[in-house]
Amino acid sequence: EERSADQREIIDNTTYVIDEAIRSLREISNNLSPHVLNDFGLARGVQNFIDKSAAMHDVKIRFTTNLRSERYDTDIEVILYRVVCELINNSLKHSGCSEINLSLSSGGDTLTLDYSDNGCGFNPAAVMDCGMGLSNISSRINSLGGTFDISSAKGKGMRAAIRVNTQQEPATPKRKRRNR
């Protein structure tokens, strides 16, 4: 049977909306646990996210790391990756900074993430309480048995230091490690 022009338009619009939804869902799930992270590990995953962010913002992002292709427990990789994304997104969105420095280093059983930006700064106590991203980061790092220290003041930019023991049994039941 012939469909009217109106019906065809409705179908076309619906198809477009569904395609858009699928596209953005794909993008979201990719960012949460990107293929690069699964395939190449933490340093490459972080580098990849930085490249994408830097391309979209006029902010200099310096990343140094001594990690090569070491692999860690999935939980550690995913949580640290998301924490880096969250810190960078916060800086880009709220701080008005012109540069971000981060270093990710491994020494002995410890993974260390040092992060800073030269933005407008804030009062950490006030921000930690409002249940936003920072307390989220804090509880993620806690779940790995790590430490998360943040310092900032109005007009002074911000610094964060994260330490995670890569050999420690996390508090939550362990998922099987992927063998590679």
Side-chain angles (χ1 to χ4, degrees):
E1 103 230 43
E2 253 322 271
R3 289 207 176 89
S4 72
D6 282 356
Q7 287 175 317
R8 267 202 311 278
E9 191 184 352
I10 290 171
I11 290 169
D12 288 347
N13 285 343
T14 309
T15 311
Y16 175 77
V17 168
I18 290 170
D19 286 346
E20 276 300 294
I22 291 169
R23 212 181 352 267
S24 49
L25 198 57
R26 196 170 280 138
E27 194 178 317
I28 290 167
S29 68
N30 227 338
N31 283 335
L32 287 179
S33 187
H35 303 304
V36 183
L37 189 59
N38 291 334
D39 296 343
F40 301 107
L42 191 54
R44 280 276 295 275
V46 167
Q47 184 63 63
N48 202 45
F49 181 80
I50 286 173
D51 292 343
K52 275 201 259 184
S53 302
M56 297 189 314
H57 296 85
D58 192 21
V59 171
K60 190 173 177 51
I61 305 179
R62 272 201 216 85
F63 175 45
T64 53
T65 182
N66 67 359
L67 298 185
R68 296 212 150 65
S69 48
E70 298 88 326
R71 298 310 303 258
Y72 299 97
D73 188 79
T74 311
D75 289 341
I76 290 178
E77 291 192 346
V78 170
I79 287 176
L80 283 178
Y81 172 80
R82 290 190 192 163
V83 162
V84 168
C85 297
E86 177 94 15
L87 286 169
I88 290 174
N89 284 336
N90 283 348
S91 290
L92 294 174
K93 226 187 272 167
H94 305 297
S95 81
C97 64
S98 61
E99 49 184 69
I100 293 173
N101 286 302
L102 74 148
S103 79
L104 185 60
S105 58
S106 155
D109 291 346
T110 307
L111 258 178
T112 301
L113 171 69
D114 284 312
Y115 182 95
S116 66
D117 74 33
N118 65 349
C120 61
F122 55 88
N123 170 351
V127 177
M128 284 303 256
D129 291 342
C130 67
M132 273 313 297
L134 288 180
S135 50
N136 196 348
I137 290 176
S138 188
S139 59
R140 284 175 175 176
I141 298 299
N142 278 336
S143 76
L144 296 175
T147 61
F148 173 53
D149 295 301
I150 189 156
S151 59
S152 180
K154 281 261 162 20
K156 297 272 193 252
M158 65 82 77
R159 308 188 72 84
I162 290 166
R163 307 273 177 281
V164 172
N165 182 330
T166 54
Q167 302 307 315
Q168 183 171 315
E169 288 291 313
T172 50
K174 245 180 143 71
R175 291 203 296 274
K176 278 216 311 282
R177 292 175 85 124
R178 274 197 310 277
N179 294 319
R180 291 231 165 253

